[in-house]
Amino acid sequence: MKPASFRHLQPASVDEALAMLAEHGADARILAGGQSLVPMMNFRLARPAVLMDINRIADLAYIRDAGSSLGIGAMTRERAIETSALVKSSAPLIHAATENIAHLPIRSRGTIGGSIANADPAAEYPAAALALDATLVAKSVRGERRIAAADFFQGVLTTALEADEMLTEIVVPKAPAGSGAAFVELSRRHGDFAMAGVGCEIVLSGDSVSGIRLAACGVGAGPVRLKAAEAALLGKTLGKATIVAAARAASAEVDPESDVHASADYRRRLAGVMTKRAVEAAAAKIGQPA
């Protein structure tokens, strides 16, 4: 199929893009990597009157060391994140999430900002951002807003972005020294969206869990912070019994829906299985058998 007719705009700067958004508002959609929006337009599930292509805005593609955090521009390609030594060492959960995204051609075009702004419940970056308490920077002609990931994702393909706002940067706290991170998921075929996935960042003091961050994708209307599973681990000795308790807590706190790919009960069970695997894999990164 072909998309419905639209007006194509190509701003060359952030300020120009924001002025266009202020003019066209809800009639406009932003085109970044296009890996989600273009198929939706081709199937006419999305019919924007105005398509604002921001691929000419080079200032939105960067990975910067900001001391205690990394600043990642919204137009940074997923492949650039995947091959970044800085991301791998400073934000290993973001790196691990990237490795799970689709296929190389998609990662070569897709952007971190596009994925997060699209807020697909099965996508990896929203879950990783939520687990790490990332800050999402949004700009409009009215000014700048810094939105906590916990407040940003509001449902299926729905975020806190206003019609005249554009996501410009993702601010990710650096991983604590001595921590381990992993992102694991299960899909029907390699490269498919995950039926369930879990990202984990863990900090150990000896064999005790002194820090834990867990979030899941594919098991709710958006990314899900697994707070009960975190509570089952925090301050406890890391061992098989503790991890099983966390897995059970994860299964109990998610509320997935059934679809053509998997039943709600299966996704709920997967949330627990993926939590167990993610915690074990993250602990293994710091040399701690679980």
Side-chain angles (χ1 to χ4, degrees):
M1 295 184 65
K2 295 181 179 180
S5 61
F6 58 86
R7 182 181 177 191
H8 184 217
L9 303 178
Q10 292 182 290
S13 68
V14 171
D15 287 344
E16 187 178 357
L18 298 182
M20 290 176 180
L21 282 177
E23 178 182 356
H24 298 288
D27 290 333
R29 289 289 299 270
I30 296 174
L31 177 67
Q35 301 307 292
S36 296
L37 179 57
V38 170
M40 291 173 66
M41 291 176 62
N42 285 340
F43 283 105
R44 303 205 175 191
L45 298 173
R47 298 189 180 198
V50 176
L51 188 66
M52 193 175 76
D53 184 345
I54 61 173
N55 280 272
R56 291 185 177 181
I57 307 179
D59 290 347
L60 289 178
Y62 58 83
I63 301 170
R64 295 174 182 162
D65 190 328
S68 61
S69 63
L70 293 185
I72 305 177
M75 278 298 297
T76 305
R77 306 291 175 184
E78 293 158 0
R79 181 60 175 165
I81 294 169
E82 183 180 10
T83 58
S84 169
L86 178 60
V87 173
K88 188 173 184 178
S89 62
S90 298
L93 183 55
I94 295 293
H95 185 266
T98 307
E99 292 181 312
N100 281 274
I101 297 173
H103 302 280
L104 178 58
I106 289 177
R107 295 194 299 276
S108 297
R109 287 298 304 167
T111 65
I112 187 171
S115 177
I116 287 176
N118 190 51
D120 191 302
E124 293 84 359
Y125 278 145
L130 184 61
L132 296 176
D133 292 321
T135 298
L136 292 316
V137 181
K139 289 186 177 181
S140 71
V141 293
R142 296 175 287 110
E144 178 182 291
R145 283 202 301 155
R146 300 175 71 85
I147 310 167
D151 299 321
F152 186 82
F153 303 104
Q154 298 186 343
V156 178
L157 306 180
T158 305
T159 72
L161 289 172
E162 301 290 345
D164 65 341
E165 286 183 317
M166 179 171 67
L167 179 64
T168 58
E169 185 177 53
I170 298 87
V171 181
V172 182
K174 287 186 178 179
S179 63
F183 198 105
V184 299
E185 62 181 44
L186 183 68
S187 57
R188 298 180 71 89
R189 298 172 302 180
H190 172 68
D192 284 359
F193 275 121
M195 290 184 285
V198 172
C200 172
E201 181 182 88
I202 192 169
V203 184
L204 298 176
S205 297
D207 60 356
S208 179
V209 180
S210 57
I212 184 70
R213 297 174 177 274
L214 291 163
C217 63
V219 291
V224 180
R225 186 71 180 262
L226 300 175
K227 295 182 179 180
E230 291 176 345
L233 288 163
L234 189 61
K236 310 290 177 51
T237 299
L238 186 67
K240 291 183 179 179
T242 311
I243 295 174
V244 168
R248 289 173 177 167
S251 291
E253 66 182 315
V254 300
D255 187 25
E257 293 187 357
S258 297
D259 59 22
V260 296
H261 301 295
S263 68
D265 286 343
Y266 184 63
R267 289 182 187 273
R268 189 175 294 109
R269 182 181 178 188
L270 278 181
V273 173
M274 294 300 104
T275 296
K276 178 177 182 295
R277 292 181 183 178
V279 172
E280 291 173 342
K285 294 289 179 63
I286 48 179
Q288 177 67 43

